[in-house]
Amino acid sequence: MNSLFVAESLAPVYEIPSSVRVKRHGDQYIVVNPDTGGWAVADRQEVAALLYPAARPRRLAEEAYYWGIARRNGHYAVPHFDYRAPAMFMFEFNLTWGCNLACVYCSNDGGPRYAHVRAGPGVVSAFARRVVEYAVAMGQRSVTVEFTGGEPFLNFPAMRQTMEELTRLSPPGLAVEWLVQSNFTAVTDEALAFLRPFDASLGISWDGLPAVQDSQRRFADGRGSYDAVVDGVGRARRAGFEIRSAYCVVTSESIDLMPELAQFFLDNGMAHLVFEPVRPLGRGGSRNGLVPDARHYAENLLTTFERVFVPHYRRTGVMPIERHALLTFAHLMEPARRFMCAQAPCGAGRLISVTMPDGAVYPCNEMFWPDHLRLGNVLDNSFTEMVASEPARRLSERTPDKIEECRDCLYRGWCHSRCARGALARGNLFSRSLYCDVEKALLDEFLGAIVDGRCDLEAARVLARKVVTCV
C-alpha cells in the first residue's frame, strides 16, 4: 500500500474555547481551561497571542494544545476518561450508630446514646448474601468491605458474622479485601485474633498529639482518650497488624500544629494520612469557631508538605501520602481522576455504598443522607437494583455543568465540585459542594507554589503519582 494521505492535517486548526480564563498571579498570568483542567503560565504578550488567532504563532498554539488549553482540529490532547464504571466495588457496612466517644466536632452527633442501634444477624446475613450476589452477577474478581460506625468494634459480633458468612458464600476467584476504620479505644485481643487470618487492614481515626486528642476526641464522661488509643494501637501491633493509615480531624484550635501532627504520625509508623478540616455540621457546626479558615488550612498543608513530607522522602525514600495534598497536586498535573470522591459524578451510589444497621443502603458513608436518596434495603433489594435505582440515577447527573455556581467557575476542571453529600448540606444535590472554599484555597495555594517555585516539584510529582493508592 502507498499513499500521500496523512491522518493529521498539515495545516491544523487551533481553537481557544470561550471558557478559557486568565488568572493574574503577580506579574505573570495563568491561562486556565476549566473544561479540561489544563493550564499554563504566560506573560502579557503570550496571553494576547493566545486569545487572538491572527497573532497566534503555531508553536504557541501547539503548546496550548499539549497543555489542555486549546483544541486542535476540534479535539483536546486531554484523553477522555469515562468514570461511569459499571460495577460497585466498595461496600461499607455501618455496624452501629453508637460510639464510645463524643468528639467535639462530630458531624453526625455520634455518641453513646446510639449504642443500642446495631446491625443484627438478619441484616448481616442479607448484606453478605447481597454483596456476593452482586459480585457474581457483575463478574467481579474482588470487592472491598469496610466496617464503619459509630465505632465498629462496639458491634464485633456483627463484624465476625459478616466475615464468616461472606467468606463462606464467596465462590472461588472472588477475593475480599477487609478494612476496619476505628478510633481504637474499644479494640480487644479477641477481635484482633479473629481478624488476623483475614489480613484485614486497620485504619485509625486519631487526632495525634496527647493534648489535641484529649481535647477533641473525648469519652462521653469528658475523659481524654489518648491513653486508650495508645493501648489499642499497642494491642494491634502485638497481634501482628501494621497500622499505617490515620484520619486526623483538623480544627481551628489544632490547625497550626499540622506539621507537628504529621511528624507525630510518621514517628508512629503511619505514612498514609488524611488531615480533614472540620465540617460545619452537627457538633462541628454548633460550636462557634471550630471550623478552620480554608486559606489558613491550605497554607499549613503546603507547609507540612515542604517541612515534613519532603525531608522524610529525601531521608527514607518513602513519600508520605496525605489525601488532600495528593489530590491537589494530582489534579494540577494530570487530567486523570482516579479517586472516586473527586470524579464527576462522584462514586456515591455507583462505585460505593454504605449499609446501615437496619439494612438501609445509602450512597456512601460521608455523613448521613436524607431518606429520598436511600438506594434501597438489603432485606428487600439486590445491589443490582439499587445501582439502577432512581436515587442512583439522580446522583449520576450531578456534574459541574449542571451546577449553576460551578458552571462558569475557574476551578471546576480541577475540583469537579466533589462530594454530592456535601452539596446537600448546602441546600440540594445541585448546590456547590461543602468543600468548595477549601478546594479553591488548596488549588490557589498549591498552584501558586508551583508557579513561584516555592515547592519541591520533583517531590510533588512523586506524591501526585501516588493517587492510585489514595483511600
Side-chain angles (χ1 to χ4, degrees):
M1 297 179 68
N2 190 21
S3 176
L4 294 178
F5 178 84
V6 290
E8 183 61 69
S9 171
L10 296 177
V13 176
Y14 297 93
E15 175 192 4
I16 304 294
S18 59
S19 56
V20 166
R21 307 275 292 279
V22 178
K23 176 181 172 66
R24 184 74 179 264
H25 184 77
D27 59 355
Q28 303 181 90
Y29 299 87
I30 303 174
V31 183
V32 181
N33 186 336
D35 296 334
T36 65
W39 62 274
V41 181
D43 59 28
R44 183 186 295 272
Q45 290 72 29
E46 289 171 323
V47 170
L50 274 175
L51 298 182
Y52 298 99
R56 187 188 305 146
R58 180 167 175 175
R59 174 197 59 79
L60 187 62
E62 183 66 19
E63 288 177 344
Y65 168 72
Y66 177 77
W67 291 322
I69 296 170
R71 295 191 189 100
R72 185 175 68 186
N73 295 337
H75 301 285
Y76 288 118
V78 177
H80 173 70
F81 291 94
D82 186 1
Y83 306 120
R84 299 172 189 263
M88 186 176 290
F89 72 90
M90 188 165 189
F91 300 85
E92 295 182 301
F93 195 0
N94 190 321
L95 299 180
T96 174
W97 288 353
C99 187
N100 57 337
L101 299 184
C103 302
V104 297
Y105 45 66
C106 183
S107 59
N108 290 332
D109 286 332
R113 69 180 183 277
Y114 294 120
H116 64 286
V117 184
R118 301 185 177 195
V123 170
V124 169
S125 292
F127 172 80
R129 183 177 70 255
R130 297 296 191 186
V131 170
V132 173
E133 171 189 68
Y134 179 79
V136 171
M138 300 303 297
Q140 290 173 278
R141 301 179 65 180
S142 65
V143 294
T144 299
V145 175
E146 180 177 22
F147 296 113
T148 67
E151 169 48 47
F153 280 112
L154 294 180
N155 193 7
F156 175 65
M159 187 187 301
R160 177 194 289 271
Q161 182 190 350
T162 303
M163 299 177 79
E164 290 176 339
E165 291 201 21
L166 210 153
T167 300
R168 176 175 55 81
L169 292 171
S170 295
L174 178 61
V176 182
E177 180 185 12
W178 301 101
L179 308 177
V180 184
Q181 188 67 27
S182 167
N183 63 36
F184 270 68
T185 62
V187 65
T188 65
D189 293 334
E190 174 195 3
L192 293 167
F194 173 80
L195 290 171
R196 192 70 189 93
F198 290 89
D199 197 27
S201 296
L202 305 183
I204 184 169
S205 299
W206 193 8
D207 289 351
L209 298 167
V212 178
Q213 176 73 15
D214 286 344
S215 172
Q216 297 182 175
R217 291 185 179 266
R218 305 168 184 164
F219 286 104
D221 61 6
R223 290 180 296 121
S225 60
Y226 180 84
D227 290 342
V229 173
V230 171
D231 178 69
V233 171
R235 288 173 183 269
R237 287 184 168 153
R238 288 192 296 272
F241 289 91
E242 293 184 27
I243 315 299
R244 294 178 292 183
S245 301
Y247 185 100
C248 173
V249 177
V250 177
T251 70
S252 58
E253 297 172 1
S254 63
I255 189 170
D256 289 325
L257 295 173
M258 286 172 66
E260 289 84 352
L261 289 167
Q263 190 62 57
F264 172 88
F265 289 119
L266 293 178
D267 291 344
N268 279 275
M270 301 170 195
H272 289 233
L273 307 173
V274 180
F275 283 142
E276 186 70 19
V278 170
R279 302 162 182 149
L281 298 168
R283 291 196 288 271
S286 62
R287 179 172 168 179
N288 293 334
L290 203 59
V291 178
D293 175 75
R295 182 68 56 183
H296 196 29
Y297 168 79
E299 292 169 351
N300 276 293
L301 187 57
L302 183 63
T303 297
T304 300
F305 171 76
E306 284 296 316
R307 295 184 184 175
V308 182
F309 292 170
V310 173
H312 183 87
Y313 168 65
R314 298 298 179 198
R315 186 172 64 253
T316 67
V318 175
M319 172 57 73
I321 297 173
E322 195 287 322
R323 179 184 294 174
H324 297 289
L326 177 149
L327 291 175
T328 304
F329 277 132
H331 295 163
L332 290 171
M333 292 183 178
E334 61 165 49
R337 316 288 297 195
R338 298 185 181 94
F339 184 52
M340 72 175 81
C341 295
Q343 297 174 7
C346 71
R350 61 186 183 89
L351 303 180
I352 185 174
S353 67
V354 60
T355 300
M356 303 304 284
D358 62 354
V361 178
Y362 292 91
C364 74
N365 201 39
E366 191 73 14
M367 303 171 278
F368 286 146
W369 290 78
D371 283 343
H372 71 270
L373 286 174
R374 183 174 61 235
L375 304 179
N377 191 299
V378 292
L379 296 173
D380 305 310
N381 310 107
S382 68
F383 279 106
T384 302
E385 292 172 324
M386 290 187 270
V387 169
S389 66
E390 176 61 17
R393 185 195 64 77
R394 290 171 62 195
L395 285 163
S396 72
E397 294 177 347
R398 187 182 184 275
T399 53
D401 60 299
K402 305 284 182 57
I403 303 167
E404 183 175 357
E405 295 167 291
C406 300
R407 197 172 294 130
D408 298 320
C409 179
L410 170 73
Y411 300 84
R412 72 176 188 275
W414 295 317
C415 88
H416 279 204
S417 191
R418 78 175 184 93
C419 190
R421 181 60 186 89
L424 287 170
R426 285 194 183 273
N428 62 69
L429 198 58
F430 294 93
S431 298
R432 68 188 179 102
S433 171
L434 190 68
Y435 293 95
C436 180
D437 293 339
V438 170
E439 289 289 332
K440 288 180 178 178
L442 285 169
L443 290 161
D444 271 342
E445 185 68 21
F446 281 53
L447 180 59
I450 291 172
V451 171
D452 296 338
R454 290 186 287 113
C455 72
D456 188 311
L457 292 181
E458 188 269 337
R461 290 190 182 96
V462 170
L463 179 59
R465 292 180 187 129
K466 299 286 187 181
V467 71
V468 293
T469 66
C470 182
V471 295

